Amino acid sequence: MGEERLVGLLESVVLWELPERGWRRVDAALGLLDLALGGRGELLPRAEGELLMAGPRRVRKGLADVLDAQRPRQVPEPTRELVNRLLRRLGRSADGTAGGHSGSGGGGEPRGGGAG
């Protein structure tokens, strides 16, 4: 996956609505991606794949999905903060523009992010 697609995937994470179990999977994938961007490049394909698989599915099937009574919720704040940090590591500001650090001190949000 190219850098632009990875940035797009990270920006989409803050728009997802998942049950708590789903957000735990996203957090694990983001942690792996953090390691990959921190110098463990061999982990990048695995991290990207896990993040894609952790996202919302277009087609739900299986008994576990039918019985899952957890309501989806918006992105938890710690997950949003990790996404923002990863975007900055990729040379994006927290508002989704190129150019890296915006001087906002990390308090900004990616595009589409709002109060949650």
Side-chain angles (χ1 to χ4, degrees):
M1 177 179 287
E3 186 174 307
E4 290 298 317
R5 288 186 59 191
L6 180 57
V7 167
L9 177 60
L10 285 170
E11 289 175 341
S12 71
V13 168
V14 299
L15 302 176
W16 294 349
E17 291 189 2
L18 301 169
E20 185 176 336
R21 179 184 72 225
W23 285 118
R24 285 193 302 266
R25 289 182 63 202
V26 168
D27 288 340
L30 291 174
L32 195 59
L33 183 57
D34 194 23
L35 287 173
L37 295 177
R40 305 261 327 261
E42 73 277 7
L43 296 175
L44 190 58
R46 179 176 162 203
E48 292 171 347
E50 287 190 19
L51 186 55
L52 283 168
M53 295 302 294
R57 292 174 279 167
R58 290 191 180 106
V59 178
R60 295 203 172 253
K61 51 184 158 179
L63 186 57
D65 292 322
V66 173
L67 297 177
D68 186 4
Q70 289 186 331
R71 288 185 48 127
R73 60 185 181 115
Q74 293 181 335
V75 62
E77 192 57 32
T79 303
R80 180 186 303 277
E81 290 171 8
L82 180 53
V83 167
N84 286 339
R85 185 164 50 101
L86 292 170
L87 285 169
R88 285 190 299 273
R89 289 180 84 173
L90 288 166
R92 299 296 172 136
S93 65
D95 66 0
T97 60
H101 304 284
S102 63
S104 66
E109 297 175 348
R111 285 188 306 220

XYZ file of all heavy atoms in Angstrom:
860
model
N 0.866 -1.171 0.000
C 0.000 0.000 0.000
C 0.902 1.220 0.000
O 1.827 1.309 0.781
C -0.892 -0.034 1.245
C -1.797 1.171 1.384
S -2.881 1.113 2.832
C -4.062 -0.112 2.345
N 0.617 2.170 -0.868
C 1.398 3.386 -0.927
C 1.073 4.321 0.222
O 0.077 4.155 0.932
N 1.942 5.317 0.384
C 1.768 6.253 1.496
C 0.445 7.008 1.412
O -0.223 7.203 2.427
C 2.934 7.237 1.530
C 2.887 8.136 2.744
C 4.103 9.021 2.862
O 5.227 8.488 2.828
O 3.916 10.243 2.987
N 0.042 7.420 0.220
C -1.228 8.153 0.076
C -2.417 7.297 0.489
O -3.338 7.776 1.151
C -1.413 8.658 -1.359
C -0.463 9.780 -1.730
C -0.663 11.019 -0.862
O -1.812 11.406 -0.597
O 0.362 11.591 -0.442
N -2.394 6.018 0.106
C -3.489 5.122 0.498
C -3.487 4.883 1.999
O -4.536 4.793 2.627
C -3.404 3.802 -0.258
C -3.794 3.971 -1.728
C -3.850 2.676 -2.457
N -4.819 1.775 -1.817
C -4.926 0.504 -2.107
N -4.140 -0.036 -3.013
N -5.812 -0.244 -1.507
N -2.284 4.783 2.587
C -2.185 4.606 4.030
C -2.728 5.831 4.758
O -3.473 5.703 5.731
C -0.735 4.333 4.435
C -0.474 4.131 5.924
C -1.326 2.995 6.483
C 1.004 3.849 6.152
N -2.391 7.015 4.272
C -2.921 8.246 4.857
C -4.441 8.256 4.748
O -5.148 8.575 5.711
C -2.304 9.497 4.177
C -3.070 10.760 4.550
C -0.835 9.635 4.567
N -4.969 7.887 3.588
C -6.419 7.830 3.413
C -7.081 6.851 4.359
O -8.149 7.122 4.914
N -6.433 5.698 4.559
C -6.971 4.706 5.489
C -6.984 5.265 6.909
O -7.992 5.156 7.615
C -6.140 3.423 5.421
C -6.517 2.304 6.392
C -7.956 1.845 6.159
C -5.550 1.144 6.247
N -5.890 5.891 7.317
C -5.839 6.468 8.665
C -6.900 7.554 8.840
O -7.548 7.638 9.887
C -4.448 7.036 8.950
C -3.368 6.004 9.230
C -1.998 6.661 9.251
C -3.643 5.284 10.539
N -7.082 8.387 7.829
C -8.099 9.438 7.918
C -9.504 8.857 8.002
O -10.385 9.438 8.631
C -7.978 10.393 6.733
C -6.734 11.265 6.812
C -6.528 12.127 5.581
O -7.113 11.829 4.510
O -5.778 13.105 5.683
N -9.713 7.693 7.398
C -11.042 7.080 7.442
C -11.336 6.444 8.797
O -12.502 6.322 9.184
C -11.205 6.049 6.328
O -10.424 4.897 6.582
N -10.292 6.059 9.538
C -10.486 5.393 10.828
C -11.347 6.232 11.759
O -12.218 5.709 12.459
C -9.127 5.063 11.489
C -9.301 4.644 12.946
C -8.416 3.962 10.708
N -11.150 7.542 11.759
C -11.898 8.399 12.691
C -13.370 8.520 12.314
O -14.160 9.053 13.094
C -11.254 9.797 12.834
C -9.843 9.680 13.391
C -11.265 10.551 11.524
N -13.738 8.022 11.147
C -15.140 8.056 10.718
C -15.867 6.749 10.999
O -17.086 6.682 10.895
C -15.221 8.368 9.217
C -14.570 9.671 8.772
C -14.632 9.792 7.252
C -15.204 10.857 9.441
N -15.118 5.717 11.344
C -15.708 4.405 11.575
C -16.549 4.396 12.838
O -16.305 5.144 13.780
C -14.627 3.343 11.710
C -13.837 3.082 10.461
C -14.105 3.527 9.206
C -12.631 2.328 10.371
N -13.143 3.083 8.337
C -12.231 2.352 9.025
C -11.857 1.633 11.298
C -11.082 1.701 8.580
C -10.710 0.978 10.856
C -10.338 1.011 9.509
N -17.528 3.521 12.858
C -18.316 3.234 14.055
C -18.242 1.731 14.273
O -18.666 0.958 13.414
C -19.761 3.696 13.885
C -19.882 5.203 13.837
C -21.322 5.684 13.880
O -22.245 4.852 13.984
O -21.514 6.896 13.806
N -17.674 1.350 15.405
C -17.436 -0.051 15.703
C -17.829 -0.352 17.145
O -17.793 0.537 17.992
C -15.941 -0.380 15.542
C -15.313 -0.147 14.173
C -13.797 -0.271 14.266
C -15.866 -1.138 13.173
N -18.137 -1.611 17.439
C -18.313 -1.989 18.849
C -16.958 -1.940 19.552
O -15.907 -1.884 18.910
C -18.875 -3.401 18.786
C -18.603 -3.895 17.421
C -18.406 -2.711 16.531
N -16.970 -1.980 20.856
C -15.734 -1.881 21.634
C -14.701 -2.919 21.195
O -13.507 -2.621 21.085
C -16.040 -2.041 23.123
C -14.823 -1.831 24.000
C -15.170 -1.903 25.467
O -16.332 -1.659 25.837
O -14.261 -2.220 26.237
N -15.150 -4.126 20.941
C -14.250 -5.192 20.476
C -13.547 -4.783 19.181
O -12.362 -5.036 19.001
C -15.054 -6.480 20.270
C -14.234 -7.644 19.765
C -15.103 -8.858 19.498
N -15.910 -8.613 18.313
C -17.202 -8.872 18.198
N -17.863 -9.399 19.188
N -17.848 -8.623 17.086
N -14.278 -4.135 18.301
C -13.694 -3.674 17.046
C -12.636 -2.606 17.262
O -11.592 -2.601 16.602
N -12.899 -1.695 18.202
C -11.917 -0.643 18.483
C -10.653 -1.234 19.107
O -9.550 -0.723 18.874
C -12.516 0.449 19.359
C -13.442 1.331 18.571
C -14.773 1.525 18.769
C -13.106 2.117 17.418
N -15.279 2.377 17.813
C -14.285 2.751 16.978
C -11.925 2.332 16.703
C -14.310 3.602 15.868
C -11.948 3.181 15.595
C -13.128 3.799 15.192
N -10.782 -2.313 19.866
C -9.583 -2.961 20.417
C -8.725 -3.524 19.288
O -7.493 -3.442 19.332
C -9.971 -4.052 21.410
C -10.437 -3.495 22.744
C -10.508 -4.569 23.823
N -11.387 -5.674 23.497
C -12.660 -5.760 23.870
N -13.213 -4.811 24.596
N -13.389 -6.806 23.529
N -9.370 -4.084 18.275
C -8.627 -4.605 17.117
C -7.959 -3.468 16.347
O -6.813 -3.593 15.907
C -9.562 -5.380 16.188
C -10.012 -6.701 16.769
C -10.901 -7.468 15.823
N -10.163 -7.812 14.601
C -10.739 -8.097 13.444
N -12.051 -8.097 13.341
N -10.012 -8.396 12.399
N -8.662 -2.345 16.205
C -8.082 -1.183 15.528
C -6.871 -0.685 16.306
O -5.816 -0.402 15.728
C -9.138 -0.064 15.360
C -8.486 1.247 14.921
C -10.209 -0.484 14.359
N -7.007 -0.582 17.626
C -5.890 -0.111 18.448
C -4.671 -1.018 18.310
O -3.536 -0.539 18.237
C -6.305 -0.010 19.917
C -7.245 1.156 20.182
O -7.297 2.094 19.362
O -7.917 1.133 21.228
N -4.886 -2.323 18.275
C -3.775 -3.261 18.109
C -3.100 -3.058 16.754
O -1.865 -3.043 16.655
C -4.269 -4.697 18.259
N -3.897 -2.871 15.705
C -3.342 -2.645 14.369
C -2.590 -1.321 14.305
O -1.521 -1.223 13.690
C -4.464 -2.687 13.325
N -3.130 -0.284 14.952
C -2.452 1.017 14.967
C -1.139 0.933 15.743
O -0.151 1.569 15.371
C -3.358 2.089 15.574
C -4.577 2.489 14.742
C -5.471 3.444 15.528
C -4.171 3.104 13.406
N -1.117 0.156 16.815
C 0.118 -0.038 17.559
C 1.186 -0.715 16.712
O 2.370 -0.338 16.751
N 0.772 -1.693 15.929
C 1.687 -2.368 15.019
C 2.185 -1.401 13.940
O 3.368 -1.385 13.592
C 0.982 -3.575 14.395
C 1.839 -4.609 13.693
C 2.878 -5.202 14.633
C 0.949 -5.706 13.131
N 1.294 -0.572 13.434
C 1.661 0.426 12.442
C 2.647 1.439 13.038
O 3.597 1.859 12.374
C 0.413 1.141 11.921
C 0.625 2.172 10.824
C 1.321 1.563 9.613
C -0.715 2.774 10.415
N 2.451 1.795 14.282
C 3.365 2.700 14.972
C 4.772 2.102 15.013
O 5.763 2.796 14.752
C 2.833 2.976 16.377
C 3.507 4.162 17.055
O 4.054 5.033 16.352
O 3.454 4.223 18.294
N 4.867 0.812 15.329
C 6.170 0.131 15.322
C 6.785 0.131 13.920
O 7.986 0.351 13.762
C 6.025 -1.311 15.809
C 5.776 -1.516 17.292
C 5.491 -2.996 17.575
C 6.960 -1.044 18.103
N 5.946 -0.135 12.921
C 6.435 -0.181 11.538
C 6.993 1.171 11.106
O 8.057 1.242 10.487
C 5.315 -0.627 10.596
N 6.301 2.235 11.449
C 6.754 3.570 11.063
C 7.936 4.027 11.907
O 8.645 4.954 11.527
C 5.604 4.581 11.183
C 4.435 4.361 10.231
C 3.335 5.370 10.490
C 4.898 4.421 8.778
N 8.155 3.377 13.033
C 9.261 3.714 13.907
C 10.542 2.968 13.573
O 11.472 2.975 14.371
N 10.585 2.303 12.452
C 11.810 1.643 12.045
C 11.679 0.159 11.780
O 12.612 -0.468 11.284
N 10.560 -0.420 12.115
C 10.351 -1.851 11.869
C 9.534 -2.030 10.586
O 8.421 -2.527 10.598
C 9.621 -2.495 13.048
C 10.265 -2.311 14.401
C 11.094 -3.461 14.895
N 10.699 -4.788 14.528
C 10.007 -5.623 15.301
N 9.571 -5.246 16.483
N 9.750 -6.836 14.874
N 10.097 -1.579 9.491
C 9.408 -1.559 8.206
C 8.861 -2.897 7.755
O 7.885 -2.957 7.009
N 9.473 -3.985 8.218
C 8.989 -5.305 7.821
C 7.588 -5.584 8.357
O 6.892 -6.468 7.867
C 9.958 -6.403 8.287
C 9.956 -6.681 9.784
C 10.815 -5.746 10.637
O 11.348 -4.759 10.103
O 10.949 -6.010 11.839
N 7.155 -4.808 9.354
C 5.815 -4.984 9.930
C 4.735 -4.211 9.167
O 3.552 -4.412 9.419
C 5.806 -4.524 11.391
C 6.681 -5.305 12.358
C 6.655 -4.667 13.730
C 6.231 -6.755 12.427
N 5.142 -3.341 8.252
C 4.181 -2.473 7.575
C 3.081 -3.232 6.834
O 1.896 -2.935 7.039
C 4.907 -1.499 6.650
C 4.072 -0.379 6.060
C 3.428 0.473 7.156
C 4.927 0.497 5.159
N 3.387 -4.217 5.997
C 2.296 -4.921 5.309
C 1.320 -5.587 6.273
O 0.107 -5.548 6.061
C 3.018 -5.960 4.441
C 4.401 -5.437 4.281
C 4.706 -4.678 5.545
N 1.859 -6.190 7.329
C 0.984 -6.844 8.318
C 0.107 -5.817 9.029
O -1.093 -6.038 9.219
C 1.838 -7.603 9.324
C 1.024 -8.277 10.391
C 1.887 -9.095 11.301
N 1.173 -9.389 12.530
C 1.745 -9.687 13.664
N 3.057 -9.744 13.736
N 1.033 -9.924 14.731
N 0.690 -4.677 9.402
C -0.060 -3.638 10.101
C -1.190 -3.097 9.225
O -2.323 -2.922 9.682
C 0.876 -2.501 10.526
N -0.881 -2.845 7.968
C -1.899 -2.343 7.044
C -3.026 -3.350 6.867
O -4.202 -2.993 6.883
C -1.269 -2.011 5.695
C -0.328 -0.838 5.747
C 0.465 -0.659 4.464
O 0.481 -1.574 3.617
O 1.075 0.403 4.314
N -2.660 -4.618 6.700
C -3.673 -5.656 6.535
C -4.566 -5.796 7.755
O -5.791 -5.923 7.632
N -3.955 -5.755 8.932
C -4.747 -5.871 10.155
C -5.676 -4.671 10.331
O -6.802 -4.828 10.799
C -3.832 -6.048 11.364
C -3.218 -7.431 11.405
C -2.505 -7.739 12.695
O -2.760 -7.065 13.715
O -1.689 -8.676 12.692
N -5.200 -3.484 9.961
C -6.064 -2.310 10.075
C -7.239 -2.406 9.109
O -8.384 -2.109 9.471
C -5.259 -1.032 9.837
C -5.992 0.278 10.070
C -6.595 0.357 11.472
C -5.059 1.459 9.829
N -6.972 -2.850 7.896
C -8.063 -3.033 6.932
C -9.077 -4.054 7.437
O -10.290 -3.844 7.336
C -7.511 -3.487 5.580
C -6.856 -2.407 4.735
C -6.092 -3.032 3.577
C -7.890 -1.422 4.227
N -8.582 -5.151 7.995
C -9.477 -6.202 8.479
C -10.234 -5.777 9.742
O -11.307 -6.297 10.018
C -8.694 -7.488 8.745
C -8.095 -8.116 7.501
S -9.321 -8.530 6.247
C -10.216 -9.804 7.088
N -9.682 -4.846 10.499
C -10.335 -4.397 11.725
C -11.465 -3.414 11.451
O -12.321 -3.204 12.298
C -9.308 -3.741 12.656
N -11.478 -2.836 10.272
C -12.481 -1.827 9.937
C -13.860 -2.412 9.756
O -14.064 -3.634 9.829
N -14.826 -1.530 9.542
C -16.196 -2.005 9.350
C -16.299 -2.869 8.103
O -15.669 -2.586 7.089
C -17.012 -0.720 9.202
C -16.038 0.353 8.921
C -14.700 -0.097 9.411
N -17.067 -3.917 8.221
C -17.257 -4.820 7.086
C -18.489 -4.402 6.309
O -19.482 -3.977 6.878
C -17.399 -6.256 7.567
C -16.097 -6.758 8.146
C -16.261 -8.099 8.749
N -16.836 -7.881 10.092
C -17.342 -8.826 10.828
N -17.390 -10.049 10.389
N -17.816 -8.565 12.014
N -18.402 -4.571 5.009
C -19.535 -4.201 4.162
C -20.669 -5.211 4.297
O -21.829 -4.862 4.291
C -19.079 -4.115 2.712
C -18.174 -2.936 2.492
C -17.955 -2.706 1.013
N -17.091 -1.565 0.840
C -15.828 -1.641 0.487
N -15.280 -2.800 0.238
N -15.106 -0.562 0.358
N -20.303 -6.465 4.399
C -21.309 -7.521 4.502
C -21.091 -8.232 5.826
O -20.004 -8.711 6.109
C -21.175 -8.529 3.337
C -22.178 -9.643 3.489
C -21.338 -7.829 2.008
N -22.118 -8.270 6.634
C -22.030 -8.975 7.912
C -22.634 -10.356 7.721
O -23.716 -10.505 7.188
C -22.782 -8.222 8.997
C -22.151 -6.894 9.283
C -22.542 -6.460 10.676
N -21.798 -5.288 11.018
C -20.792 -5.292 11.881
N -20.430 -6.385 12.462
N -20.156 -4.177 12.155
N -21.918 -11.344 8.197
C -22.456 -12.688 8.146
C -21.833 -13.495 9.260
O -20.773 -13.173 9.773
C -22.218 -13.344 6.794
C -20.810 -13.305 6.285
C -20.756 -13.893 4.911
C -19.512 -13.402 4.178
N -19.394 -13.945 2.875
N -22.513 -14.506 9.633
C -22.020 -15.366 10.702
C -22.815 -15.157 11.975
O -23.345 -14.085 12.239
N -22.877 -16.191 12.752
C -23.654 -16.171 13.981
C -23.136 -15.130 14.962
O -23.915 -14.442 15.624
C -23.642 -17.564 14.631
C -24.524 -17.737 15.862
C -25.972 -17.398 15.529
C -24.412 -19.149 16.395
N -21.822 -14.981 15.054
C -21.251 -14.006 15.988
C -21.735 -12.596 15.656
O -22.012 -11.794 16.548
C -19.731 -14.067 15.961
N -21.854 -12.290 14.374
C -22.328 -10.963 13.980
C -23.802 -10.776 14.322
O -24.221 -9.696 14.732
C -22.111 -10.732 12.483
C -20.641 -10.635 12.133
O -19.877 -10.046 12.924
O -20.258 -11.163 11.081
N -24.584 -11.813 14.143
C -26.008 -11.733 14.439
C -26.233 -11.566 15.933
O -27.087 -10.793 16.376
C -26.741 -12.985 13.916
C -28.183 -12.993 14.376
C -26.652 -13.060 12.399
N -25.440 -12.259 16.729
C -25.613 -12.228 18.179
C -24.911 -11.052 18.847
O -25.116 -10.818 20.029
C -25.101 -13.533 18.789
C -25.852 -14.788 18.363
C -25.212 -16.020 18.976
C -27.317 -14.697 18.742
N -24.084 -10.336 18.120
C -23.342 -9.218 18.708
C -24.304 -8.084 19.011
O -24.780 -7.392 18.133
C -22.245 -8.743 17.761
C -21.351 -7.692 18.389
O -21.527 -7.379 19.584
O -20.464 -7.190 17.689
N -24.596 -7.889 20.280
C -25.563 -6.875 20.690
C -24.901 -5.544 21.006
O -25.589 -4.588 21.349
C -26.337 -7.369 21.911
N -23.576 -5.476 20.895
C -22.909 -4.215 21.190
C -23.229 -3.191 20.116
O -23.140 -3.482 18.930
C -21.394 -4.404 21.236
C -20.906 -5.168 22.427
C -19.390 -5.179 22.452
O -18.738 -5.124 21.428
N -18.844 -5.246 23.648
N -23.577 -2.020 20.576
C -23.846 -0.938 19.633
C -22.535 -0.342 19.157
O -21.637 -0.112 19.956
C -24.664 0.154 20.307
C -26.097 -0.220 20.564
C -26.834 0.963 21.124
N -26.553 2.146 20.316
C -27.478 2.908 19.791
N -28.727 2.650 19.995
N -27.156 3.959 19.073
N -22.434 -0.065 17.871
C -21.232 0.613 17.386
C -21.122 1.997 18.021
O -22.122 2.634 18.324
C -21.467 0.730 15.887
C -22.516 -0.265 15.565
C -23.352 -0.400 16.799
N -19.900 2.419 18.238
C -19.682 3.761 18.767
C -18.599 4.441 17.958
O -17.835 3.799 17.258
C -19.325 3.711 20.247
C -18.086 2.944 20.583
C -17.917 2.857 22.093
N -16.707 2.142 22.418
C -15.658 2.684 23.035
N -15.700 3.946 23.395
N -14.598 1.975 23.292
N -18.555 5.757 18.077
C -17.556 6.521 17.341
C -16.176 6.274 17.928
O -16.020 5.688 18.992
C -17.907 8.004 17.386
C -19.173 8.321 16.639
C -19.498 9.797 16.681
O -19.091 10.518 17.582
N -20.255 10.254 15.700
N -15.187 6.765 17.221
C -13.800 6.534 17.590
C -13.509 7.047 19.010
O -13.849 8.179 19.347
C -12.844 7.183 16.563
C -12.999 8.691 16.499
C -11.409 6.820 16.841
N -12.916 6.197 19.861
C -12.525 6.648 21.193
C -11.391 7.680 21.094
O -10.576 7.638 20.171
C -12.037 5.373 21.884
C -12.554 4.251 21.063
C -12.693 4.774 19.670
N -11.320 8.589 22.038
C -10.321 9.660 21.996
C -8.882 9.134 21.945
O -8.081 9.662 21.164
C -10.516 10.621 23.169
C -9.719 11.903 23.020
C -10.021 12.687 21.747
O -11.168 12.656 21.268
O -9.082 13.319 21.224
N -8.503 8.109 22.729
C -7.121 7.619 22.614
C -6.787 7.099 21.212
O -5.669 7.279 20.730
C -7.050 6.490 23.653
C -8.127 6.800 24.622
C -9.223 7.446 23.818
N -7.761 6.489 20.554
C -7.550 6.001 19.190
C -7.384 7.177 18.244
O -6.503 7.181 17.378
C -8.730 5.111 18.751
O -8.870 4.043 19.684
C -8.514 4.546 17.356
N -8.214 8.212 18.395
C -8.110 9.417 17.560
C -6.729 10.060 17.735
O -6.103 10.470 16.762
C -9.204 10.418 17.934
C -9.164 11.699 17.102
C -10.169 12.719 17.587
N -11.518 12.229 17.604
C -12.329 12.208 16.551
N -11.915 12.647 15.396
N -13.556 11.750 16.665
N -6.246 10.118 18.970
C -4.939 10.721 19.219
C -3.819 9.917 18.568
O -2.874 10.489 18.013
C -4.704 10.845 20.725
C -5.597 11.888 21.370
C -5.541 11.869 22.887
O -4.688 11.144 23.460
O -6.349 12.584 23.501
N -3.925 8.581 18.602
C -2.916 7.746 17.965
C -2.949 7.927 16.453
O -1.903 8.023 15.808
C -3.119 6.279 18.347
C -2.134 5.274 17.751
C -0.684 5.672 18.022
C -2.416 3.882 18.291
N -4.136 8.010 15.870
C -4.248 8.265 14.428
C -3.589 9.590 14.081
O -2.819 9.689 13.114
C -5.727 8.239 13.974
C -5.885 8.819 12.573
C -6.282 6.827 14.029
N -3.841 10.630 14.869
C -3.234 11.943 14.615
C -1.714 11.858 14.670
O -1.016 12.435 13.827
C -3.740 12.978 15.621
C -5.160 13.405 15.333
O -5.646 13.256 14.228
N -5.825 13.916 16.340
N -1.191 11.126 15.658
C 0.264 10.992 15.791
C 0.850 10.257 14.585
O 1.892 10.657 14.049
C 0.591 10.250 17.084
C 2.082 10.171 17.361
C 2.375 9.796 18.790
N 1.650 8.641 19.248
C 2.167 7.420 19.337
N 3.412 7.195 19.009
N 1.435 6.418 19.782
N 0.166 9.204 14.128
C 0.651 8.459 12.967
C 0.605 9.319 11.711
O 1.515 9.258 10.876
C -0.158 7.176 12.792
C 0.057 6.127 13.893
C -0.970 5.015 13.761
C 1.468 5.581 13.865
N -0.438 10.117 11.561
C -0.521 11.016 10.409
C 0.633 12.009 10.421
O 1.227 12.300 9.372
C -1.871 11.744 10.385
C -3.060 10.904 9.935
C -4.365 11.630 10.202
C -2.935 10.554 8.448
N 0.977 12.537 11.591
C 2.107 13.460 11.673
C 3.413 12.750 11.304
O 4.274 13.334 10.645
C 2.198 14.076 13.071
C 1.134 15.144 13.300
C 1.370 15.925 14.575
N 1.350 15.087 15.766
C 0.262 14.764 16.456
N -0.918 15.227 16.069
N 0.334 14.004 17.530
N 3.559 11.497 11.713
C 4.765 10.738 11.351
C 4.859 10.536 9.850
O 5.954 10.376 9.311
C 4.775 9.392 12.059
C 5.036 9.538 13.546
C 5.049 8.229 14.219
N 6.384 7.641 14.071
C 6.747 6.541 14.683
N 5.897 5.896 15.456
N 7.956 6.062 14.527
N 3.731 10.500 9.186
C 3.705 10.349 7.728
C 3.821 11.694 7.026
O 3.649 11.780 5.821
C 2.422 9.635 7.297
C 2.380 8.151 7.628
C 0.973 7.607 7.474
C 3.358 7.386 6.744
N 4.069 12.752 7.789
C 4.258 14.068 7.184
C 2.970 14.810 6.920
O 2.926 15.714 6.099
N 1.918 14.441 7.607
C 0.628 15.118 7.459
C 0.315 15.858 8.737
O 0.625 15.388 9.818
C -0.503 14.113 7.193
C -0.335 13.329 5.942
C -0.387 14.235 4.753
N -0.033 13.522 3.549
C -0.710 13.649 2.427
N -1.745 14.437 2.340
N -0.319 12.975 1.367
N -0.321 16.990 8.594
C -0.768 17.682 9.797
C -2.057 17.030 10.270
O -2.686 16.268 9.549
C -0.991 19.167 9.516
O -2.046 19.343 8.607
N -2.443 17.331 11.480
C -3.620 16.701 12.062
C -4.900 17.084 11.333
O -5.917 16.423 11.475
C -3.734 17.064 13.545
N -4.870 18.158 10.529
C -6.083 18.536 9.791
C -6.131 17.895 8.416
O -7.002 18.193 7.621
C -6.218 20.058 9.682
C -5.129 20.701 8.837
O -4.252 19.980 8.312
O -5.140 21.939 8.704
N -5.177 16.982 8.130
C -5.217 16.228 6.884
C -4.475 16.867 5.734
O -4.513 16.363 4.635
N -3.758 17.977 5.966
C -3.013 18.613 4.895
C -1.571 18.172 4.926
O -1.050 17.778 5.957
C -3.079 20.152 5.006
O -2.513 20.543 6.264
C -4.502 20.650 4.892
N -0.909 18.245 3.788
C 0.503 17.895 3.720
C 1.319 18.967 4.417
O 0.884 20.102 4.551
C 0.928 17.772 2.256
N 2.494 18.584 4.858
C 3.382 19.586 5.414
C 3.804 19.304 6.825
O 4.597 20.028 7.379
N 3.288 18.259 7.432
C 3.781 17.882 8.754
C 3.204 18.689 9.866
O 2.014 18.923 9.930
N 4.071 19.163 10.739
C 3.637 19.791 11.990
C 2.970 21.131 11.740
O 3.497 21.988 11.058
C 4.843 19.957 12.911
C 5.532 18.656 13.156
N 5.027 17.713 14.004
C 6.661 18.129 12.622
C 5.826 16.664 14.007
N 6.819 16.892 13.173
N 1.812 21.310 12.326
C 1.056 22.544 12.150
C 1.221 23.469 13.331
O 0.655 24.539 13.351
C -0.432 22.222 11.958
O -0.932 21.600 13.127
N 1.967 23.041 14.343
C 2.162 23.867 15.518
C 0.975 23.864 16.441
O 0.868 24.683 17.340
N 0.060 22.933 16.244
C -1.149 22.909 17.070
C -0.930 22.166 18.366
O -1.832 22.069 19.176
C -2.300 22.252 16.293
O -2.008 20.890 16.064
N 0.265 21.594 18.548
C 0.543 20.860 19.767
C -0.149 19.516 19.825
O -0.276 18.922 20.869
N -0.633 19.021 18.701
C -1.241 17.698 18.645
C -2.714 17.684 19.021
O -3.291 16.641 19.136
N -3.316 18.837 19.216
C -4.712 18.850 19.625
C -5.685 18.860 18.479
O -6.889 18.818 18.691
N -5.191 18.913 17.236
C -6.092 18.967 16.097
C -6.687 17.613 15.812
O -6.355 16.609 16.408
N -7.574 17.574 14.848
C -8.233 16.339 14.474
C -8.127 16.161 12.982
O -8.098 17.131 12.242
C -9.712 16.382 14.844
C -9.933 16.510 16.334
C -11.399 16.685 16.664
O -12.195 16.927 15.752
O -11.739 16.564 17.835
N -8.075 14.907 12.497
C -8.091 14.686 11.065
C -9.401 15.163 10.462
O -10.381 15.334 11.169
C -7.961 13.163 10.924
C -7.546 12.659 12.246
C -7.966 13.679 13.244
N -9.372 15.300 9.154
C -10.606 15.694 8.472
C -11.746 14.803 8.886
O -11.582 13.614 9.080
C -10.432 15.546 6.959
C -9.617 16.594 6.345
C -9.664 16.475 4.859
N -9.290 15.121 4.461
C -8.539 14.848 3.416
N -8.064 15.786 2.682
N -8.248 13.608 3.122
N -12.911 15.393 9.021
C -14.099 14.625 9.380
C -14.232 14.375 10.854
O -15.213 13.841 11.300
N -13.216 14.745 11.610
C -13.283 14.520 13.054
C -14.093 15.609 13.710
O -13.984 16.771 13.358
N -14.904 15.239 14.641
C -15.689 16.216 15.362
C -15.801 15.789 16.794
O -15.174 14.834 17.222
N -16.579 16.473 17.519
C -16.773 16.100 18.917
C -17.438 14.741 18.969
O -18.342 14.438 18.208
C -17.620 17.135 19.635
N -16.973 13.891 19.820
C -17.517 12.539 19.824
C -17.947 12.155 21.118
O -18.059 11.618 21.974
